[in-house]
Amino acid sequence: MGPKGLLALHTGKIAMLASRVTGRGGSTLPGRLALKIEPGLMRHLAGQARRSVMVTGTNGKTTTASLLASILRQTGEGVVHNGSGANLIPGVTSALIGAASPAGRLKAGWAVLEVDEATVPLFLRQVRPDVSIVTNFFRDQLDRYGEIEHIVDLVKQGLSMLPDTSWVVLNADDPMVSGLAQGLEARVLHYGLDLPEMTSGVGSHAVDVRHCRVCDTPYSYQGYYYAHLGIYHCPSCGRERPALSVKASRVEPAGTRGTGVVLGFPDGSSERVFVRVPGLYNVYNVLAAATAAWRLGVFPANIKAGIEAFLAAFGRMEEVRIKGRRVFLALAKNPAGFNEVLRTIGADQGDKTLLIAINDNTADGKDVSWLWDVDFEVLAEEGALRAVVASGIRAEDMALRLKYGGVDPSRIRWDTDIMAALESALRKTPPGEVLYVLPTYTAMLDLRGRLARRGLVKPW
């Protein structure tokens, strides 16, 4: 590394130390400052990894990347990973700076880098990962990303730069994701659920994909797993869900403790694993991580060990103990993701207490009209809800949405101060019971930062 690169690296390291001393986390600023000095720093550091993986898609990026990092640690080799979820170029660069020696050498053989879906072309112009994972596509932050087709085109543009020595791991059950395979030089593996008995014959109203991208004919579904993910084909051009390279042939929900999954691999072997996060959407994250690990040559026994050693990522079904209550932090930032979190919570028996925190900062999306596409009506069902507290910048909008969703107004409270809202929700939760906290991204950062200052969670 030349003098300019070393100056950038050390500027980043000093900024990282200063950010952490002042309690600001240091997940983005170090990279931003370093890139002003040496724009090629990310490429230089990432290129030192023996093998690298990019993870992108609308939902599940952080959990998938964390699962994969846990698996790769089982090999005994170091892993660099932007685990805070800071997934723009400065955030990725910050993670690499943190894993580099003062001489500019990366102290990790593996790099697992989560990348914002709109940033994929910019990232892939600088880094050539061995494996690239695409999890799913859903409407998200429409004021920033635009319609879903725009994001799909951006990711496709990026993947088209990959050579035939690279591998792309795609979700077969999402027709927008599986369609990315067409025309790529890179080789492709597909993963998905092999559980037709778990499908529904009717899709939710929040389905984001209805028409074939090849011929614009409505897809025909044998069954839906959730949203537009399922077993589909186009009755006009014949495009259909591709064959599964890695699949889940059995799923055993275990409440908030997690989920048992039987994984099937391309060589015919299988492993039963238990992942300590609930929900069918997390089974997809397990499949994505396992498929990439298998492609990287990790033995199935190590894949199992890594999945079972995994702890919930930063605010993604992360459990915290507060005042004798079990508090689950579950990021929820778009209709499809929110509906799956509500479905997972609904599988637990008994009344629930919820804290829903909605912000409309830039990273959340300024437009919160998506709240009206979430199926909050399930909370109005008999026995579903003990109490719900709305919070965040848009607490009043959330409370209004709950009222129009049919939730008994006597069970709704709201407070824009998230700590006051948390105290109110804790009072509504009996000792030993679960409080579910569903925040948007910046609301989660705000709450988690305050909990970290009280020593209740690990700071980032």
Side-chain angles (χ1 to χ4, degrees):
M1 181 179 288
K4 191 176 174 184
L6 286 173
L7 176 62
L9 176 69
H10 287 281
T11 299
K13 282 186 173 292
I14 291 169
M16 188 171 290
L17 178 62
S19 295
R20 290 178 177 169
V21 167
T22 56
R24 295 178 181 174
S27 60
T28 299
L29 180 64
R32 184 176 297 135
L33 294 176
L35 289 168
K36 286 184 181 297
I37 299 170
E38 174 49 272
L41 186 64
M42 179 184 73
R43 179 178 64 247
H44 181 82
L45 293 175
Q48 295 180 37
R50 187 174 65 82
R51 306 294 293 277
S52 60
V53 180
M54 178 192 79
V55 183
T56 194
T58 306
N59 292 340
K61 294 185 289 292
T62 302
T63 298
T64 298
S66 297
L67 276 161
L68 182 57
S70 179
I71 292 170
L72 296 178
R73 287 189 190 101
Q74 302 301 313
T75 67
E77 204 168 358
V79 181
V80 55
H81 165 220
N82 51 334
S84 69
N87 56 24
L88 301 177
I89 298 298
V92 174
T93 306
S94 292
L96 292 165
I97 289 171
S101 73
R105 301 303 304 172
L106 196 66
K107 299 181 289 184
W110 302 101
V112 180
L113 303 173
E114 173 189 335
V115 176
D116 171 82
E117 47 273 38
T119 307
V120 167
L122 181 59
F123 176 80
L124 290 180
R125 273 195 283 272
Q126 301 182 59
V127 179
R128 286 286 183 268
D130 298 280
V131 177
S132 298
I133 300 172
V134 184
T135 57
N136 47 58
F137 290 118
F138 297 109
R139 278 179 295 147
D140 188 27
Q141 300 181 51
L142 290 177
D143 53 333
R144 175 172 169 244
Y145 289 134
E147 286 295 340
I148 191 170
E149 287 80 5
H150 175 62
I151 290 299
V152 174
D153 288 343
L154 284 175
V155 173
K156 177 80 176 185
Q157 178 189 339
L159 296 180
S160 298
M161 303 177 199
L162 296 174
D164 61 6
T165 52
S166 290
W167 285 84
V168 176
V169 170
L170 301 177
N171 185 341
D173 295 346
D174 185 331
M176 298 290 262
V177 174
S178 67
L180 294 170
Q182 294 180 337
L184 294 184
E185 282 189 37
R187 290 169 284 178
V188 177
L189 286 172
H190 288 100
Y191 65 88
L193 303 181
D194 186 21
L195 299 162
E197 69 278 10
M198 291 187 69
T199 60
S200 166
V202 181
S204 75
H205 75 274
V207 166
D208 291 327
V209 178
R210 299 182 187 276
H211 295 80
C212 175
R213 285 200 98 199
V214 176
C215 65
D216 204 33
T217 302
Y219 280 117
S220 175
Y221 275 79
Q222 177 184 330
Y224 295 87
Y225 288 116
Y226 75 90
H228 57 264
L229 275 61
I231 304 170
Y232 55 87
H233 77 279
C234 173
S236 177
C237 70
R239 184 169 176 272
E240 61 182 359
R241 183 178 77 148
L244 304 178
S245 303
V246 175
K247 60 190 176 185
S249 58
R250 188 172 177 182
V251 170
E252 301 160 346
T256 54
R257 290 192 305 111
T259 311
V261 186
V262 176
L263 298 174
F265 294 98
D267 60 2
S269 64
S270 63
E271 285 284 350
R272 184 191 181 281
V273 304
F274 187 83
V275 60
R276 286 182 278 181
V277 285
L280 195 62
Y281 59 102
N282 278 315
V283 175
Y284 277 106
N285 297 332
V286 168
L287 280 165
T291 306
W294 185 87
R295 183 57 257 166
L296 290 165
V298 180
F299 294 120
N302 280 343
I303 293 175
K304 174 183 171 70
I307 291 170
E308 297 188 344
F310 162 79
L311 296 175
F314 191 69
R316 278 78 173 175
M317 277 293 176
E318 182 182 17
E319 182 177 349
V320 184
R321 295 275 180 167
I322 304 177
K323 296 184 177 179
R325 282 76 168 175
R326 299 170 63 205
V327 178
F328 277 88
L329 301 176
L331 176 71
K333 61 191 183 76
N334 52 47
F338 224 124
N339 284 340
E340 282 310 294
V341 169
L342 290 176
R343 181 164 77 156
T344 300
I345 291 172
D348 281 351
Q349 299 298 311
D351 291 349
K352 290 96 181 169
T353 306
L354 273 64
L355 165 58
I356 303 176
I358 305 297
N359 278 358
D360 62 355
N361 293 314
T362 300
D364 306 294
K366 294 287 186 182
D367 179 357
V368 297
S369 62
W370 59 270
L371 292 175
W372 296 87
D373 288 333
V374 180
D375 296 329
F376 289 113
E377 284 73 12
V378 298
L379 298 177
E381 295 173 4
E382 182 69 26
L385 193 67
R386 181 185 297 114
V388 56
V389 181
S391 187
I393 297 169
R394 303 299 286 264
E396 295 96 333
D397 296 77
M398 187 64 241
L400 181 69
R401 174 67 185 94
L402 291 166
K403 182 182 178 184
Y404 274 87
V407 176
D408 181 350
S410 69
R411 297 178 188 269
I412 304 171
R413 297 284 183 275
W414 63 268
D415 195 318
T416 54
D417 184 313
I418 199 164
M419 292 309 288
L422 177 63
E423 291 294 336
S424 175
L426 287 169
R427 286 194 296 273
K428 296 286 183 181
T429 309
E433 294 289 319
V434 175
L435 167 62
Y436 299 94
V437 180
L438 314 182
T440 55
Y441 184 64
T442 66
M444 186 267 290
L445 293 180
D446 181 21
L447 176 61
R448 218 180 168 288
R450 297 187 193 210
L451 294 178
R453 287 193 284 277
R454 296 185 181 190
L456 294 169
V457 297
K458 178 183 173 185
W460 286 84

